[in-house]
Amino acid sequence: MSKEVTALRKAGELEEAEILAIQLLEKDAANIWTKRAYAWVCYDYIKKHLNVPQQNHKAIYKYFLKIKNLALDEEENILFDGLAWQLGKYLFAVAKIKEIKDTVLDAYFNLVQHFYFTKPSESYSFLLKSFHKLYKKNQTWCNYVFFIDWWGFKNFTKEDTQKTEYKGKKIMALKEQFCIAYCKALLVQECKEHIQLFLPKLKVLLEENESYIWLVWYRVKFLKLLGEDPAKILEVFLPFARTKKNDYWIWELLAELVSNKAMVLACYCKGLSLERKEQFLSKIRTKTAKIFIEENLLDEAKTEIEKVITTKQKEQQKIPLDIQNWQGQDWYKTAQVKKDNKIIYQQYSKQATLLLYEDYPKHLVAVSYINKSKYILNFVKNKQEYGFFKYDKFLDPNIGNILEVRFEETLKQGGSYKVAMVEKKDSETNCDAIKKVVGVLQKRDNQNFGFIQDAFVEPGVITRYSLKNGDTISGNAIMSYDKKKDQWGYKLINVF
């Protein structure tokens, strides 16, 4: 008789098919063939009602519930995978036309927990996207975290782990998007027990997906919420902070992880030294002003405060209470507003940058060549470690300068490098790439170059110092590679 139900369904006679299926189940509720046939009738009803979903909310839910009550097992995965597509389509359609109550999401979540989906699969990922779409719309669904736990972090397809592109814009992988949304939901709910259970999983996620740098930021937030040791949190945070060092808020968060007031101020100054829209800076300016006041830097404090007031008035927002209190104090009336605080930012920023890279090894190198138009310099440390990097114009290097450099990568033979920090050192600083030479210049009359011991003297140096054959000279020589001879030697760079 179940075949008759199927035949009626395929003929489009859904009402007759349903009546017959119900009659058969009343006689034998456990008959698997009848249950399967009726489940597909309900499935077709869902598809039919999805043609006008906004008018059929109750009917759609009713047939999903009927399928759930049939208590089919995992052998019906074709049906369940089809239901994943249909429910996903319904939730996406609802997201476009109206707000959906959290209780409706709860109802469907309770239903799908009784279905046996293929995992991982395209349909199962589509189901995840549809629930997430509605969650993003208002972000009030308190069971979102439990939904993701049920769906499972191990059920993403290979395609879900890959970045995509839309209209020329790169979009982060679906897996990364949901990991971030999950972490964000945990923070909003501040469920410490749940966070504590999730942290080991988060560590594994980071180990398996090194490019998911934003998860490091959430890990730091979790550790702070749980009251972990700031030194431990700082160790976790630094790799992420380095990737976002040009964002002011990184330095504001970094300031929360250090206890030394001078370093806190250095972090704030570094953040404010980065060009950003003023409406985002009021909070960090207020914090900076507070420390300036404590350090009796009153002109600097008033300068920060006035910028906050100007921004708040422009945005028609309330002036912070702390600032209102400062405005009524005697010092505020006599303090002078400066054009800006860039000078003090520069003074403190160096210490903040040092904090960011303090675990990077330091290298003493010598400047061997400079392209001033492109701000590129060549350096040498020894025969095995040398190369070039782009420098900041404020460094103003000269050939022979000794630099203390923290590189963002391991030094090797030649090539371009990214530099984390660079600082000029005193000329007397010992550097393996430079040696002092004393001797007599050997130069033939028909040549514009010469030698002092084993150091080559270029024509430019001879002209600059008006050197002649037989002159006794003392100076500095830098390691130099002779491409023609394919060997290392030295060349004179200055004369004392």
Side-chain angles (χ1 to χ4, degrees), residues 219-250:
R219 187 182 177 197
V220 167
K221 285 287 188 180
F222 291 153
L223 293 173
K224 283 191 64 185
L225 186 63
L226 295 174
E228 289 286 348
D229 179 16
K232 178 182 177 181
I233 301 175
L234 184 62
E235 184 180 338
V236 172
F237 183 61
L238 285 178
F240 172 73
R242 290 175 193 131
T243 68
K244 297 292 179 182
K245 61 185 178 182
N246 293 325
D247 292 334
Y248 79 92
W249 54 268
I250 276 292

mmCIF file of all heavy atoms in Angstrom, residues 219-250:
data_model
loop_
_atom_site.group_PDB
_atom_site.id
_atom_site.type_symbol
_atom_site.label_atom_id
_atom_site.label_comp_id
_atom_site.label_asym_id
_atom_site.label_seq_id
_atom_site.Cartn_x
_atom_site.Cartn_y
_atom_site.Cartn_z
ATOM 1 N N ARG A 219 41.052 34.839 21.434
ATOM 2 C CA ARG A 219 41.680 34.061 22.505
ATOM 3 C C ARG A 219 42.177 34.983 23.609
ATOM 4 O O ARG A 219 42.031 34.682 24.807
ATOM 5 C CB ARG A 219 42.840 33.239 21.935
ATOM 6 C CG ARG A 219 43.439 32.270 22.935
ATOM 7 C CD ARG A 219 44.610 31.525 22.334
ATOM 8 N NE ARG A 219 45.236 30.645 23.306
ATOM 9 C CZ ARG A 219 46.444 30.130 23.185
ATOM 10 N NH1 ARG A 219 47.175 30.392 22.097
ATOM 11 N NH2 ARG A 219 46.955 29.351 24.124
ATOM 12 N N VAL A 220 42.756 36.108 23.228
ATOM 13 C CA VAL A 220 43.212 37.099 24.205
ATOM 14 C C VAL A 220 42.029 37.635 25.013
ATOM 15 O O VAL A 220 42.110 37.761 26.240
ATOM 16 C CB VAL A 220 43.944 38.257 23.484
ATOM 17 C CG1 VAL A 220 44.152 39.436 24.427
ATOM 18 C CG2 VAL A 220 45.276 37.783 22.942
ATOM 19 N N LYS A 221 40.939 37.943 24.329
ATOM 20 C CA LYS A 221 39.742 38.438 25.014
ATOM 21 C C LYS A 221 39.225 37.406 26.023
ATOM 22 O O LYS A 221 38.809 37.760 27.138
ATOM 23 C CB LYS A 221 38.657 38.758 23.989
ATOM 24 C CG LYS A 221 38.886 40.029 23.196
ATOM 25 C CD LYS A 221 38.645 41.250 24.052
ATOM 26 C CE LYS A 221 38.661 42.536 23.255
ATOM 27 N NZ LYS A 221 38.423 43.734 24.093
ATOM 28 N N PHE A 222 39.240 36.142 25.628
ATOM 29 C CA PHE A 222 38.774 35.084 26.523
ATOM 30 C C PHE A 222 39.662 34.990 27.763
ATOM 31 O O PHE A 222 39.169 34.872 28.892
ATOM 32 C CB PHE A 222 38.776 33.737 25.793
ATOM 33 C CG PHE A 222 37.746 33.606 24.703
ATOM 34 C CD1 PHE A 222 37.953 32.749 23.641
ATOM 35 C CD2 PHE A 222 36.567 34.341 24.753
ATOM 36 C CE1 PHE A 222 37.007 32.620 22.636
ATOM 37 C CE2 PHE A 222 35.617 34.227 23.749
ATOM 38 C CZ PHE A 222 35.834 33.363 22.686
ATOM 39 N N LEU A 223 40.972 35.018 27.532
ATOM 40 C CA LEU A 223 41.904 34.905 28.653
ATOM 41 C C LEU A 223 41.759 36.075 29.620
ATOM 42 O O LEU A 223 41.858 35.912 30.841
ATOM 43 C CB LEU A 223 43.343 34.821 28.131
ATOM 44 C CG LEU A 223 43.695 33.551 27.343
ATOM 45 C CD1 LEU A 223 45.085 33.664 26.724
ATOM 46 C CD2 LEU A 223 43.627 32.321 28.253
ATOM 47 N N LYS A 224 41.517 37.266 29.073
ATOM 48 C CA LYS A 224 41.290 38.443 29.931
ATOM 49 C C LYS A 224 40.029 38.266 30.756
ATOM 50 O O LYS A 224 39.993 38.576 31.947
ATOM 51 C CB LYS A 224 41.179 39.701 29.077
ATOM 52 C CG LYS A 224 42.495 40.236 28.553
ATOM 53 C CD LYS A 224 42.312 41.610 27.944
ATOM 54 C CE LYS A 224 41.872 42.613 28.986
ATOM 55 N NZ LYS A 224 41.578 43.930 28.414
ATOM 56 N N LEU A 225 38.976 37.783 30.109
ATOM 57 C CA LEU A 225 37.701 37.583 30.799
ATOM 58 C C LEU A 225 37.831 36.561 31.926
ATOM 59 O O LEU A 225 37.207 36.699 32.980
ATOM 60 C CB LEU A 225 36.639 37.118 29.796
ATOM 61 C CG LEU A 225 35.203 36.989 30.320
ATOM 62 C CD1 LEU A 225 34.664 38.352 30.761
ATOM 63 C CD2 LEU A 225 34.297 36.407 29.242
ATOM 64 N N LEU A 226 38.695 35.568 31.715
ATOM 65 C CA LEU A 226 38.902 34.528 32.716
ATOM 66 C C LEU A 226 39.915 34.932 33.780
ATOM 67 O O LEU A 226 40.164 34.178 34.716
ATOM 68 C CB LEU A 226 39.354 33.231 32.044
ATOM 69 C CG LEU A 226 38.338 32.570 31.098
ATOM 70 C CD1 LEU A 226 38.978 31.373 30.405
ATOM 71 C CD2 LEU A 226 37.094 32.154 31.856
ATOM 72 N N GLY A 227 40.503 36.142 33.627
ATOM 73 C CA GLY A 227 41.427 36.648 34.642
ATOM 74 C C GLY A 227 42.799 36.009 34.604
ATOM 75 O O GLY A 227 43.467 35.901 35.639
ATOM 76 N N GLU A 228 43.241 35.587 33.421
ATOM 77 C CA GLU A 228 44.565 34.970 33.302
ATOM 78 C C GLU A 228 45.677 36.004 33.534
ATOM 79 O O GLU A 228 45.461 37.212 33.453
ATOM 80 C CB GLU A 228 44.734 34.341 31.917
ATOM 81 C CG GLU A 228 43.903 33.098 31.697
ATOM 82 C CD GLU A 228 44.445 31.884 32.437
ATOM 83 O OE1 GLU A 228 45.597 31.959 32.928
ATOM 84 O OE2 GLU A 228 43.721 30.877 32.541
ATOM 85 N N ASP A 229 46.878 35.511 33.793
ATOM 86 C CA ASP A 229 48.051 36.353 34.018
ATOM 87 C C ASP A 229 48.321 37.219 32.781
ATOM 88 O O ASP A 229 48.448 36.689 31.668
ATOM 89 C CB ASP A 229 49.262 35.461 34.296
ATOM 90 C CG ASP A 229 50.537 36.259 34.512
ATOM 91 O OD1 ASP A 229 50.436 37.480 34.756
ATOM 92 O OD2 ASP A 229 51.622 35.668 34.418
ATOM 93 N N PRO A 230 48.393 38.563 32.932
ATOM 94 C CA PRO A 230 48.633 39.452 31.789
ATOM 95 C C PRO A 230 49.891 39.098 30.991
ATOM 96 O O PRO A 230 49.915 39.248 29.775
ATOM 97 C CB PRO A 230 48.776 40.830 32.446
ATOM 98 C CG PRO A 230 47.952 40.729 33.686
ATOM 99 C CD PRO A 230 48.161 39.319 34.173
ATOM 100 N N ALA A 231 50.935 38.622 31.674
ATOM 101 C CA ALA A 231 52.170 38.254 30.972
ATOM 102 C C ALA A 231 51.922 37.090 30.015
ATOM 103 O O ALA A 231 52.443 37.060 28.899
ATOM 104 C CB ALA A 231 53.253 37.880 31.988
ATOM 105 N N LYS A 232 51.093 36.146 30.443
ATOM 106 C CA LYS A 232 50.764 35.008 29.590
ATOM 107 C C LYS A 232 49.919 35.467 28.402
ATOM 108 O O LYS A 232 50.113 35.017 27.270
ATOM 109 C CB LYS A 232 50.005 33.958 30.403
ATOM 110 C CG LYS A 232 49.571 32.756 29.585
ATOM 111 C CD LYS A 232 48.776 31.773 30.430
ATOM 112 C CE LYS A 232 48.271 30.601 29.578
ATOM 113 N NZ LYS A 232 47.472 29.637 30.386
ATOM 114 N N ILE A 233 48.983 36.369 28.688
ATOM 115 C CA ILE A 233 48.117 36.882 27.621
ATOM 116 C C ILE A 233 48.948 37.662 26.607
ATOM 117 O O ILE A 233 48.731 37.554 25.394
ATOM 118 C CB ILE A 233 47.018 37.789 28.210
ATOM 119 C CG1 ILE A 233 46.166 37.004 29.214
ATOM 120 C CG2 ILE A 233 46.122 38.336 27.101
ATOM 121 C CD1 ILE A 233 45.136 37.854 29.940
ATOM 122 N N LEU A 234 49.897 38.442 27.097
ATOM 123 C CA LEU A 234 50.759 39.231 26.213
ATOM 124 C C LEU A 234 51.534 38.323 25.264
ATOM 125 O O LEU A 234 51.673 38.613 24.076
ATOM 126 C CB LEU A 234 51.724 40.073 27.046
ATOM 127 C CG LEU A 234 52.635 41.037 26.284
ATOM 128 C CD1 LEU A 234 51.810 42.073 25.549
ATOM 129 C CD2 LEU A 234 53.607 41.714 27.239
ATOM 130 N N GLU A 235 52.010 37.207 25.775
ATOM 131 C CA GLU A 235 52.747 36.250 24.956
ATOM 132 C C GLU A 235 51.871 35.716 23.821
ATOM 133 O O GLU A 235 52.341 35.518 22.690
ATOM 134 C CB GLU A 235 53.228 35.092 25.846
ATOM 135 C CG GLU A 235 54.082 34.073 25.137
ATOM 136 C CD GLU A 235 54.533 32.952 26.064
ATOM 137 O OE1 GLU A 235 54.539 33.164 27.296
ATOM 138 O OE2 GLU A 235 54.865 31.863 25.565
ATOM 139 N N VAL A 236 50.607 35.491 24.119
ATOM 140 C CA VAL A 236 49.659 35.010 23.106
ATOM 141 C C VAL A 236 49.332 36.108 22.099
ATOM 142 O O VAL A 236 49.183 35.862 20.900
ATOM 143 C CB VAL A 236 48.363 34.521 23.785
ATOM 144 C CG1 VAL A 236 47.281 34.199 22.743
ATOM 145 C CG2 VAL A 236 48.639 33.300 24.649
ATOM 146 N N PHE A 237 49.236 37.338 22.609
ATOM 147 C CA PHE A 237 48.744 38.464 21.812
ATOM 148 C C PHE A 237 49.763 39.015 20.815
ATOM 149 O O PHE A 237 49.398 39.478 19.724
ATOM 150 C CB PHE A 237 48.305 39.579 22.765
ATOM 151 C CG PHE A 237 47.716 40.779 22.083
ATOM 152 C CD1 PHE A 237 46.572 40.669 21.311
ATOM 153 C CD2 PHE A 237 48.298 42.022 22.219
ATOM 154 C CE1 PHE A 237 46.014 41.771 20.687
ATOM 155 C CE2 PHE A 237 47.756 43.132 21.600
ATOM 156 C CZ PHE A 237 46.610 43.004 20.837
ATOM 157 N N LEU A 238 51.044 38.971 21.159
ATOM 158 C CA LEU A 238 52.062 39.636 20.352
ATOM 159 C C LEU A 238 52.087 39.209 18.875
ATOM 160 O O LEU A 238 52.179 40.070 17.995
ATOM 161 C CB LEU A 238 53.441 39.455 20.980
ATOM 162 C CG LEU A 238 53.715 40.319 22.219
ATOM 163 C CD1 LEU A 238 55.103 40.016 22.784
ATOM 164 C CD2 LEU A 238 53.594 41.797 21.896
ATOM 165 N N PRO A 239 52.008 37.909 18.567
ATOM 166 C CA PRO A 239 52.025 37.537 17.136
ATOM 167 C C PRO A 239 50.884 38.182 16.345
ATOM 168 O O PRO A 239 51.072 38.608 15.205
ATOM 169 C CB PRO A 239 51.883 36.009 17.173
ATOM 170 C CG PRO A 239 52.436 35.619 18.500
ATOM 171 C CD PRO A 239 52.011 36.725 19.423
ATOM 172 N N PHE A 240 49.706 38.260 16.960
ATOM 173 C CA PHE A 240 48.569 38.907 16.300
ATOM 174 C C PHE A 240 48.789 40.410 16.190
ATOM 175 O O PHE A 240 48.527 41.023 15.151
ATOM 176 C CB PHE A 240 47.288 38.630 17.086
ATOM 177 C CG PHE A 240 46.098 39.400 16.589
ATOM 178 C CD1 PHE A 240 45.481 39.054 15.404
ATOM 179 C CD2 PHE A 240 45.604 40.482 17.308
ATOM 180 C CE1 PHE A 240 44.388 39.762 14.933
ATOM 181 C CE2 PHE A 240 44.517 41.199 16.852
ATOM 182 C CZ PHE A 240 43.903 40.833 15.661
ATOM 183 N N ALA A 241 49.280 41.016 17.265
ATOM 184 C CA ALA A 241 49.491 42.468 17.282
ATOM 185 C C ALA A 241 50.457 42.900 16.183
ATOM 186 O O ALA A 241 50.289 43.966 15.593
ATOM 187 C CB ALA A 241 50.015 42.905 18.654
ATOM 188 N N ARG A 242 51.446 42.084 15.908
ATOM 189 C CA ARG A 242 52.411 42.440 14.863
ATOM 190 C C ARG A 242 51.745 42.525 13.492
ATOM 191 O O ARG A 242 52.142 43.331 12.656
ATOM 192 C CB ARG A 242 53.547 41.410 14.831
ATOM 193 C CG ARG A 242 54.447 41.474 16.039
ATOM 194 C CD ARG A 242 55.478 40.355 16.010
ATOM 195 N NE ARG A 242 56.138 40.236 17.310
ATOM 196 C CZ ARG A 242 56.301 39.104 17.972
ATOM 197 N NH1 ARG A 242 55.845 37.974 17.466
ATOM 198 N NH2 ARG A 242 56.903 39.085 19.143
ATOM 199 N N THR A 243 50.740 41.695 13.260
ATOM 200 C CA THR A 243 50.059 41.721 11.961
ATOM 201 C C THR A 243 49.131 42.915 11.832
ATOM 202 O O THR A 243 48.737 43.284 10.724
ATOM 203 C CB THR A 243 49.237 40.435 11.747
ATOM 204 O OG1 THR A 243 48.139 40.397 12.671
ATOM 205 C CG2 THR A 243 50.100 39.201 11.925
ATOM 206 N N LYS A 244 48.766 43.538 12.959
ATOM 207 C CA LYS A 244 47.822 44.652 12.951
ATOM 208 C C LYS A 244 48.434 45.913 13.567
ATOM 209 O O LYS A 244 47.721 46.770 14.088
ATOM 210 C CB LYS A 244 46.556 44.272 13.743
ATOM 211 C CG LYS A 244 45.781 43.112 13.150
ATOM 212 C CD LYS A 244 45.147 43.487 11.825
ATOM 213 C CE LYS A 244 44.399 42.334 11.211
ATOM 214 N NZ LYS A 244 43.812 42.685 9.902
ATOM 215 N N LYS A 245 49.761 46.022 13.467
ATOM 216 C CA LYS A 245 50.465 47.097 14.160
ATOM 217 C C LYS A 245 50.107 48.484 13.651
ATOM 218 O O LYS A 245 50.392 49.476 14.317
ATOM 219 C CB LYS A 245 51.980 46.883 14.050
ATOM 220 C CG LYS A 245 52.501 46.889 12.614
ATOM 221 C CD LYS A 245 53.979 46.563 12.571
ATOM 222 C CE LYS A 245 54.489 46.509 11.135
ATOM 223 N NZ LYS A 245 55.912 46.138 11.067
ATOM 224 N N ASN A 246 49.488 48.584 12.492
ATOM 225 C CA ASN A 246 49.104 49.895 11.953
ATOM 226 C C ASN A 246 47.676 50.281 12.311
ATOM 227 O O ASN A 246 47.150 51.267 11.806
ATOM 228 C CB ASN A 246 49.285 49.909 10.433
ATOM 229 C CG ASN A 246 50.744 49.821 10.030
ATOM 230 O OD1 ASN A 246 51.616 50.367 10.703
ATOM 231 N ND2 ASN A 246 51.031 49.123 8.958
ATOM 232 N N ASP A 247 47.035 49.498 13.182
ATOM 233 C CA ASP A 247 45.686 49.809 13.660
ATOM 234 C C ASP A 247 45.774 50.343 15.086
ATOM 235 O O ASP A 247 46.341 49.688 15.969
ATOM 236 C CB ASP A 247 44.794 48.568 13.628
ATOM 237 C CG ASP A 247 44.505 48.111 12.204
ATOM 238 O OD1 ASP A 247 44.542 48.961 11.308
ATOM 239 O OD2 ASP A 247 44.238 46.918 12.005
ATOM 240 N N TYR A 248 45.190 51.502 15.316
ATOM 241 C CA TYR A 248 45.336 52.169 16.620
ATOM 242 C C TYR A 248 44.812 51.322 17.773
ATOM 243 O O TYR A 248 45.360 51.321 18.886
ATOM 244 C CB TYR A 248 44.599 53.521 16.593
ATOM 245 C CG TYR A 248 43.112 53.402 16.765
ATOM 246 C CD1 TYR A 248 42.523 53.490 18.018
ATOM 247 C CD2 TYR A 248 42.277 53.167 15.671
ATOM 248 C CE1 TYR A 248 41.160 53.351 18.181
ATOM 249 C CE2 TYR A 248 40.919 53.032 15.818
ATOM 250 C CZ TYR A 248 40.360 53.115 17.083
ATOM 251 O OH TYR A 248 39.006 52.977 17.237
ATOM 252 N N TRP A 249 43.703 50.577 17.532
ATOM 253 C CA TRP A 249 43.066 49.837 18.626
ATOM 254 C C TRP A 249 43.933 48.696 19.140
ATOM 255 O O TRP A 249 43.769 48.259 20.284
ATOM 256 C CB TRP A 249 41.703 49.310 18.196
ATOM 257 C CG TRP A 249 41.711 48.484 16.945
ATOM 258 C CD1 TRP A 249 41.513 48.904 15.667
ATOM 259 C CD2 TRP A 249 41.949 47.072 16.864
ATOM 260 N NE1 TRP A 249 41.605 47.857 14.789
ATOM 261 C CE2 TRP A 249 41.864 46.718 15.485
ATOM 262 C CE3 TRP A 249 42.221 46.076 17.806
ATOM 263 C CZ2 TRP A 249 42.048 45.412 15.047
ATOM 264 C CZ3 TRP A 249 42.403 44.768 17.352
ATOM 265 C CH2 TRP A 249 42.303 44.456 15.992
ATOM 266 N N ILE A 250 44.872 48.218 18.303
ATOM 267 C CA ILE A 250 45.808 47.184 18.767
ATOM 268 C C ILE A 250 46.630 47.709 19.931
ATOM 269 O O ILE A 250 46.866 47.030 20.928
ATOM 270 C CB ILE A 250 46.726 46.754 17.605
ATOM 271 C CG1 ILE A 250 46.040 45.695 16.761
ATOM 272 C CG2 ILE A 250 48.051 46.211 18.112
ATOM 273 C CD1 ILE A 250 45.851 44.360 17.461
#
